[in-house]
Amino acid sequence: MPFRRNDDRIDETRGITYTSAQLPSPVLFTGPAECDIWAATTAADTDWVVKLSDVGPDGTSLLLSAGYVRASQRAVDRHRSRPGDPWLRNSHADRVPAGAALAYRIPMQPLGVTLGAGHRLRLAIYSADPAVHEPLLKPATNTVFHDRSHPSVLRLRVVDEGRI
């Protein structure tokens, strides 16, 4: 059976979403992608899942890229990382202090897509993705911060096709 992307609008109700304004003209996104968030949990550990979607003029939301990090595996190797492409060590579990706002660099699948005028980008943030991996068993309250003290950012490579 051929691959078919599904409309993610139903899944997006399970998390926090941020949607851009409509693109005024076509835009080519290519290369690595990264989402940096500040977040806290009441649990000893949690998962952070980010999904980037193309929202068409009709409202359909189609997945472009996704990334995952377990809070205790958030350590980044600064020597191997570069902007848009963090290298997570995954060599040991770091303590996750309950209620503390921590920075997470979440690597995402690379992009290679041109979105047309009128399309929008949507970033969804979750604490689990049961379709892909088993969620942690202990319930928690998770908080995502987005203020001056806790700047979150989505890093994408945008190519100006007029300059290639």
Side-chain angles (χ1 to χ4, degrees):
M1 177 175 280
F3 174 76
R4 180 176 164 264
R5 295 190 315 176
N6 294 321
D7 192 336
D8 276 354
R9 286 181 286 187
I10 293 172
D11 284 345
E12 290 167 355
T13 63
R14 297 181 302 108
I16 301 169
T17 60
Y18 301 90
T19 305
S20 73
Q22 289 185 345
L23 299 173
S25 59
V27 177
L28 170 60
F29 298 95
T30 184
E34 170 185 353
C35 184
D36 297 350
I37 63 170
W38 283 85
T41 184
T42 59
D45 207 355
T46 194
D47 293 322
W48 296 108
V49 179
V50 294
K51 293 185 177 184
L52 182 66
S53 297
D54 164 19
V55 180
D58 65 353
T60 304
S61 183
L62 301 176
L63 183 66
L64 297 173
S65 179
Y68 310 86
V69 69
R70 177 147 293 169
S72 62
Q73 298 293 325
R74 68 189 177 279
V76 174
D77 185 328
R78 289 191 175 107
H79 298 292
R80 294 174 115 169
S81 298
R82 53 187 196 268
D85 194 13
W87 186 282
L88 299 178
R89 290 188 186 148
N90 292 315
S91 58
H92 65 280
D94 287 325
R95 185 174 162 272
V96 181
L102 300 175
Y104 296 93
R105 288 184 68 186
I106 306 172
M108 300 175 71
Q109 297 156 337
L111 291 169
V113 64
T114 299
L115 300 185
H119 285 245
R120 295 173 287 156
L121 288 174
R122 176 170 294 147
L123 180 71
I125 303 173
Y126 311 95
S127 293
D129 190 7
V132 178
H133 71 283
E134 192 168 320
L136 295 170
L137 298 177
K138 294 190 177 187
T141 299
N142 293 334
T143 304
V144 175
F145 299 91
H146 46 89
D147 56 35
R148 281 185 196 259
S149 300
H150 306 94
S152 297
V153 64
L154 175 63
R155 289 190 174 89
L156 305 173
R157 182 170 178 244
V158 177
V159 177
D160 180 351
E161 294 188 56
R163 293 181 165 179
I164 294 177

